[in-house]
């Protein structure tokens, strides 16, 4: 028998979430952000589930873009960090990929190449995040040089927000962006999931939803995924493989971080940090056993974790355990482990079998 852990991927939920994002930004086109293997959900199955409704896909590696082309997807594909090497520019021209141009080196690379076909470009402006992006003062000159290069087709102006999901908001960055875009008469793309949901004034021509497509709330402290209407795409499931009875004073797991103060029943679950479950999730992190909500106990091990079965008397070896997903939003587990659903999804380990439907 195989170890009983699996990740179920519901591509119809992914489709539902993409259409919800489109509905919340009805005047914009929407890049489906599918970087990092679709946030750990499987690139080609997710992208294929929206093949007939997607405006475009955004990711990082040329190899993943080529995988989408080979799966028959004809939409625009945006490389969010642009070209790393000249090779990437050649591939972009060959496969019809859109390149972000975020720095002087990428601009120069484009100028010095001779492409058979022009590539479309998103020019990324640094409006305050100070990660990638050209200075606002250079925007007009960069656009002029791109046009003069003869290597470039459609040009879109973009930026990325540092605080769309928190109290900082986007006002300051958007003001800088708008001042930069004024007079350039270019299509614009600025909104991630959080901005898409919170700031309709940021929708512009292309929105870039990522986490919301996978059913994670980009703003879990303000609105739950359920409230937004998102459906979980990944359900991480396992089973109870052992049961223990504890007496008062008995301890659980490495470091004896949990100590029983009464008689208890615990279940040992075939899921640990080597499967992608966060090691920092403390006692009390929510978990479902046979669909009933309970809590983890003690420290998460590499291959196992313990859960409280005291109030679920019919649960035992073989009972289904939901770590997150259907019935238990990943946002709740993430909050308990002081992280974000993005990290839980992306950390799903290769050893976990994925069942996609
Ligand atoms: C990852 C990414 C997004 C999507 O962000 P979410 O918070 O997941 O919606 C949008 N734009 C850029 C440039 C990104 O790198």
């Amino acid at each position: 028998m195989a170890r009983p852990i699996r990740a179920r991927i519901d591509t119809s939920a992914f489709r539902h979430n993409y259409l919800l994002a489109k509905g919340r930004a009805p005047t914009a086109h929407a890049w489906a952000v599918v970087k990092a293997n679709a946030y750990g959900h499987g690139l080609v199955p997710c992208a294929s589930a929206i093949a007939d409704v997607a405006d475009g896909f955004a990711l990082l590696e040329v190899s993943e873009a080529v995988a989408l082309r080979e799966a028959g997807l004809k939409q625009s594909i945006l490389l969010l960090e642009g070209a790393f090497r000249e090779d990437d520019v050649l591939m972009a021209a060959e496969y019809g990929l859109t390149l972000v141009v975020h720095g002087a080196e990428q601009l120069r690379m484009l100028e010095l190449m001779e492409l058979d076909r022009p590539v479309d470009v998103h020019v990324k402006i640094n409006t305050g995040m100070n990660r990638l992006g050209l200075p606002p003062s250079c925007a007009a000159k960069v656009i002029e040089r791109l046009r003069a290069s003869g290597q470039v087709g459609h040009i879109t102006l973009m930026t990325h927000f540092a605080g769309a999901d928190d109290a900082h908001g986007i006002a300051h960055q958007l003001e800088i962006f708008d001042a930069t875009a004024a007079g350039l008469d270019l299509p614009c793309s600025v909104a991630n999931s959080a901005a898409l949901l919170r700031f309709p004034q940021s929708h512009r021509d292309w929105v870039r939803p990522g986490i919301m497509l996978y059913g994670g709330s980009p703003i879990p402290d303000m609105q739950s995924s359920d409230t937004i209407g998102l459906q979980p795409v990944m359900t991480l499931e396992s089973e109870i493989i052992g049961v223990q009875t504890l007496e008062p004073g008995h301890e659980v797991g490495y470091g004896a971080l949990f100590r029983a103060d009464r008689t208890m029943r615990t279940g040992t679950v075939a899921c640990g940090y080597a499967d992608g479950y966060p090691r920092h999730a403390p006692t009390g992190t929510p978990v479902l056993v046979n669909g009933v909500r309970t809590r983890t106990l003690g420290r998460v091990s590499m291959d196992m974790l313990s859960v409280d079965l005291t109030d679920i008397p019919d649960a035992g070896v073989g009972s289904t355990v939901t770590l997150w997903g259907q019935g238990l939003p990943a946002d709740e587990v993430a909050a308990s482990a002081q992280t974000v659903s993005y990290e839980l999804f992306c950390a799903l380990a290769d050893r976990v079998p994925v069942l996609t439907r």
Side-chain angles (χ1 to χ4, degrees), residues 90-129:
L90 294 173
M91 294 287 273
E94 181 177 346
Y95 285 90
L97 314 178
T98 303
L99 289 176
V100 164
V101 173
H102 63 69
E105 300 74 13
Q106 290 181 329
L107 171 61
R108 228 170 287 127
M109 193 160 39
L110 265 173
E111 285 181 316
L112 294 174
M113 293 184 71
E114 286 212 29
L115 301 172
D116 301 337
R117 269 176 291 181
V119 289
D120 292 344
V121 158
H122 273 38
V123 174
K124 186 167 191 173
I125 305 299
N126 174 22
T127 54
M129 190 162 186

Side-chain angles (χ1 to χ4, degrees), residues 33 35 39 80 124 158 160 192-193 208-211 342:
V33 179
K35 62 191 179 191
Y39 290 45
L80 286 165
K124 186 167 191 173
M158 76 178 281
H160 194 59
N192 58 3
S193 296
R208 303 192 305 268
I211 192 64
Y342 302 70

Side-chain angles (χ1 to χ4, degrees), residues 150-167:
Q151 311 294 314
V152 167
H154 299 287
I155 300 176
T156 300
L157 214 56
M158 76 178 281
T159 194
H160 194 59
F161 297 127
D165 58 339
D166 62 27

Side-chain angles (χ1 to χ4, degrees), residues 51-120:
D52 57 329
V53 289
D55 300 319
F57 300 99
L59 41 66
L60 303 182
E61 295 91 353
V62 168
S63 56
E64 296 216 322
V66 170
L68 292 187
R69 287 286 180 253
E70 284 173 353
L73 295 158
K74 306 266 191 285
Q75 284 90 340
S76 299
I77 299 177
L78 175 64
L79 297 181
L80 286 165
E81 292 178 350
F84 304 101
R85 302 274 183 273
E86 284 192 6
D87 226 31
D88 300 328
V89 181
L90 294 173
M91 294 287 273
E94 181 177 346
Y95 285 90
L97 314 178
T98 303
L99 289 176
V100 164
V101 173
H102 63 69
E105 300 74 13
Q106 290 181 329
L107 171 61
R108 228 170 287 127
M109 193 160 39
L110 265 173
E111 285 181 316
L112 294 174
M113 293 184 71
E114 286 212 29
L115 301 172
D116 301 337
R117 269 176 291 181
V119 289
D120 292 344

